Amino acid sequence: MNHHDIEARTAGNQSAEKALRILEYLAEQNESMRLMDIASAMKMNNSTTLRFLTTLAMTGYVAQEEDTSKYYLTYKIVSLGHKVNEGKQLPRIVSPYLKRISETLKESVCLAIEQNTQVVYVDVQEGPSQIVKAMQRIGNIAPLHCTGIGKLLLLNYSETQLDDLIRERGLQQYTQYTLTTKEALLYELNEVRQRGYAIDNEECEIGARCIAFPVYDYTQKIIAGISVTGPAIRITDAFASRWESYMKQMTQQISRQLGWE
């Protein structure tokens, strides 16, 4: 690559960066903005800013008010987000992390979301434990109240919503460790909130234990969870303490890709 090609590529990268900065700036505003105010905020001259705004308007991401000529962001940028969701991009983004976590911790790792007030597994990286392979396959469902990821997702619920869930689904007992009362579940959710991760302490199946960490998106809500699952003799409290910082680092990296701040 010659010097001219390098300069051209660098200029192109800078142009893309400036256009994206304008989009982000407009997204943060509560009102339409004048050209000179946008230019000032971007530390660019008016003519350069106008060139970027014209391109963004031509592609449908920015529009102008007819009476004031002020600029505002259109909903086209929102449609991109919907297309990402419709394209089921979450497993694609998370899959490399699941593999890395599984190889590092040498345990099974799962990604799950909530659908119809149940946990649905959407990606699984299998570890050496045969006990886990039968439980967690892509498409399998599980209850919210007794799974690690389910407890994380319940942090989004108001108490009224929790009451509705209990009335509709109940708090079925699967083992002697399953939480079967609202009071016990509320206490556990408060522990999860303070700790930053959830534990399934043989609540679904005797002999299987998991720790689960939240994944956030641009709404700042928990939209999924990643759980590390294995035999109870290995997934101990000491195991959780040892890997807590690492797991939080991994899930925060994923969350940032989903727009979480």
Side-chain angles (χ1 to χ4, degrees):
M1 183 181 295
N2 60 40
H3 182 69
H4 177 75
D5 291 337
I6 294 174
E7 285 188 339
R9 176 170 292 186
T10 300
N13 291 341
Q14 290 175 345
S15 294
E17 179 185 352
K18 289 175 181 177
L20 291 170
R21 282 178 53 218
I22 291 173
L23 286 177
E24 290 174 350
Y25 173 73
L26 289 174
E28 293 168 356
Q29 308 310 308
N30 294 322
E31 58 185 5
S32 303
M33 301 300 295
R34 298 183 302 172
L35 169 62
M36 64 180 67
D37 294 328
I38 299 170
S40 176
M42 297 295 101
K43 295 181 170 57
M44 297 187 298
N45 60 49
N46 287 354
S47 60
T48 301
T49 306
L50 178 60
R51 177 163 53 85
F52 284 115
L53 287 168
T54 300
T55 300
L56 290 170
M58 288 174 59
T59 51
Y61 291 98
V62 166
Q64 278 183 284
E65 293 178 347
E66 289 187 9
D67 53 343
T68 66
S69 295
K70 290 181 178 180
Y71 292 88
Y72 62 93
L73 202 61
T74 71
Y75 278 88
K76 185 173 182 179
I77 197 78
V78 178
S79 73
L80 288 182
H82 286 306
K83 287 176 181 176
V84 169
N85 289 334
E86 290 168 1
K88 296 179 173 61
Q89 296 296 320
L90 184 61
R92 180 185 63 78
I93 292 170
V94 176
S95 184
Y97 289 92
L98 294 189
K99 184 176 182 181
R100 190 186 318 168
I101 294 168
S102 182
E103 289 174 348
T104 302
L105 276 61
K106 295 180 172 47
E107 298 291 352
S108 293
V109 184
C110 308
L111 168 70
I113 61 173
E114 180 184 353
Q115 281 186 353
N116 300 321
T117 62
Q118 292 179 300
V119 173
V120 179
Y121 294 99
V122 294
D123 200 358
V124 177
Q125 185 67 42
E126 292 183 344
S129 304
Q130 296 296 321
I131 187 174
V132 177
K133 292 183 179 181
M135 291 169 51
Q136 297 166 327
R137 300 185 189 279
I138 295 173
N140 275 13
I141 60 174
L144 289 167
H145 71 286
C146 57
T147 55
I149 293 176
K151 292 173 186 176
L152 294 174
L153 294 166
L154 284 177
L155 295 182
N156 293 326
Y157 277 50
S158 66
E159 188 166 351
T160 300
Q161 290 172 318
L162 189 62
D163 288 337
D164 291 341
L165 173 71
I166 293 171
R167 185 174 60 254
E168 293 171 10
R169 293 280 185 185
L171 298 175
Q172 184 176 342
Q173 183 168 3
Y174 295 88
T175 75
Q176 68 262 39
Y177 302 111
T178 307
L179 303 177
T180 58
T181 68
K182 176 186 173 182
E183 292 71 26
L185 183 56
L186 283 173
Y187 180 85
E188 176 72 3
L189 294 179
N190 186 54
E191 292 289 302
V192 172
R193 190 176 287 108
Q194 293 185 31
R195 190 168 52 225
Y197 64 92
I199 299 172
D200 166 5
N201 186 26
E202 300 183 75
E203 295 165 52
C204 278
E205 188 168 329
I206 292 296
R209 204 165 187 259
C210 92
I211 53 173
F213 293 79
V215 173
Y216 298 85
D217 71 355
Y218 61 93
T219 67
Q220 314 304 312
K221 288 187 177 181
I222 298 170
I223 56 136
I226 292 178
S227 66
V228 180
T229 311
I233 57 172
R234 289 208 303 267
I235 310 299
T236 60
D237 290 344
F239 177 94
S241 297
R242 177 186 177 189
W243 294 108
E244 176 184 352
S245 178
Y246 172 79
M247 287 299 301
K248 286 181 177 178
Q249 180 184 0
M250 291 294 101
T251 49
Q252 285 171 8
Q253 287 181 20
I254 294 167
S255 298
R256 289 190 190 99
Q257 289 197 47
L258 299 172
W260 172 74
E261 297 178 358

